[in-house]
Amino acid sequence: LQYPWDEENYGLCISGAGSFFNHSKDANAKIHDRDFDNNIQRYSAVRNIAKGEEVTIFYNEDFEEFINKVAT
């Protein structure tokens, strides 16, 4: 997963919990905060997530544009 990290850089999540979240326009989780000193990104739910429900996040606008082009 690739995330805008700051105004000049992108973050790349190769492993860890974030790499398992799928993209959704109606995401049930979001990036909560970023610790730039320790390169840590935390997530939080934006609504109740039911047991067995997939955790999803909105990757970014660049990814959304990419999948819209692929779908057409």
Side-chain angles (χ1 to χ4, degrees), residues 49-68:
I49 301 173
K51 182 178 180 178
E53 181 181 359
E54 180 179 23
V55 177
T56 59
I57 60 174
F58 184 82
Y59 290 172
N60 58 45
E61 289 78 13
D62 293 337
F63 182 79
E64 188 69 26
E65 182 179 337
F66 168 76
I67 61 173
N68 286 335

Side-chain angles (χ1 to χ4, degrees), residues 34-52:
R34 293 177 174 146
D35 176 347
F36 290 96
D37 293 331
N38 296 301
N39 294 323
I40 296 171
Q41 184 163 273
R42 292 189 297 179
Y43 301 87
S44 62
V46 296
R47 60 175 173 79
N48 288 334
I49 301 173
K51 182 178 180 178

